[in-house]
Amino acid sequence: MQIHDKNFEIFITADEIQSTIKKLAGLINLDYSDKELVLVIILKGAFIFAADLVRSLNFQSQIELLSAKSYGKEITSSGNVEISLPNLNIKGKHVLIIEDIVDTGLTLSSVKSALNKFGPLSIEITTLISKPAMRKIEIDVKYIGIEIPPVFIVGFGLDYAEHGRNLPDIYAITS
Ligand code: IMP
Ligand code: MG
């Protein structure tokens, strides 16, 4: 399949993604069923993962949206993270950040320190995908769906130059 100038092939199927989300939801349900939780969804990429995940959670929660963008070449993280931060009501509350993919870790590290300023009780992170070999900064991600090698992927919310987010499966770049 071609998107813009690049070729992609299937990498993670929709079925595999859905069973991963069920597994993550099971762990999160165990940890938070007796707590009040605020789910902070990182836009744009995490919107599809989050939509499926939150519907598998069996406790009440507040949902907030936050947009983070790292500028640079399209298939590499630049490290310049721009966060648009509304005035979030998370003081004294448990927070779970929902992210699509952790690559260098720079986005989540900026998001986490921005959220910490509001005085939450705790902050944990869940991500559908992690590329551990790409980390530039250590970041503690409590609930990781699938670990992959350092390959660029699209689909299920993830884009290549703003295309491919709507694909139900995840594709990896080949050339
Ligand atoms: P980090 O700051 O390097 O951890 O990058 C996180 C952000 O980079 C994610 O929220 C994605 O928007 C983007 N990103 C990283 N890897 C990929 C990928 O393989 N495909 C699409 N976007 C990616
Ligand atoms: Mg993104």
Side-chain angles (χ1 to χ4, degrees):
M1 184 192 51
Q2 187 162 359
I3 302 178
H4 297 300
D5 55 332
K6 301 270 192 268
N7 292 303
F8 292 84
E9 67 182 27
I10 192 103
F11 189 61
I12 307 170
T13 64
D15 281 352
E16 201 182 330
I17 296 169
Q18 289 307 322
S19 59
T20 301
I21 295 175
K22 291 280 175 297
K23 191 185 68 188
L24 289 171
L27 298 172
I28 296 166
N29 281 333
L30 280 178
D31 289 350
Y32 290 100
S33 57
D34 56 345
K35 298 187 177 76
E36 201 194 328
L37 184 64
V38 184
L39 300 161
V40 177
I41 301 167
I42 311 298
L43 300 177
K44 299 176 188 171
F47 81 111
I48 294 183
F49 167 46
D52 285 342
L53 181 71
V54 302
R55 287 179 293 172
S56 295
L57 299 180
N58 60 15
F59 52 89
Q60 297 197 3
S61 54
Q62 178 186 330
I63 291 181
E64 300 292 349
L65 307 175
L66 191 156
S67 135
K69 193 175 174 111
S70 59
Y71 291 95
K73 283 210 264 60
E74 282 128 3
I75 64 168
T76 50
S77 269
S78 68
N80 299 320
V81 184
E82 189 185 290
I83 302 172
S84 68
L85 199 63
N87 195 9
L88 295 176
N89 177 20
I90 58 172
K91 193 175 167 60
K93 295 180 183 173
H94 295 287
V95 170
L96 179 66
I97 300 172
I98 304 180
E99 175 62 304
D100 51 358
I101 185 163
V102 187
D103 188 30
T104 62
L106 294 167
T107 300
L108 276 178
S109 135
S110 307
V111 166
K112 209 175 162 183
S113 43
L115 292 181
N116 259 323
K117 299 199 176 96
F118 292 109
L121 200 53
S122 71
I123 302 186
E124 297 293 354
I125 298 166
T126 181
T127 187
L128 180 63
I129 310 283
S130 174
K131 294 190 222 177
M134 294 294 289
R135 284 301 187 279
K136 287 186 181 156
I137 190 163
E138 204 185 310
I139 178 111
D140 183 25
V141 184
K142 187 159 187 189
Y143 311 97
I144 296 175
I146 303 170
E147 289 197 340
I148 64 166
V151 57
F152 189 81
I153 56 175
V154 297
F156 206 77
L158 291 154
D159 71 304
Y160 170 48
E162 292 301 331
H163 281 202
R165 292 192 197 275
N166 58 308
L167 296 164
D169 305 278
I170 290 178
Y171 293 75
I173 201 164
T174 53
S175 57

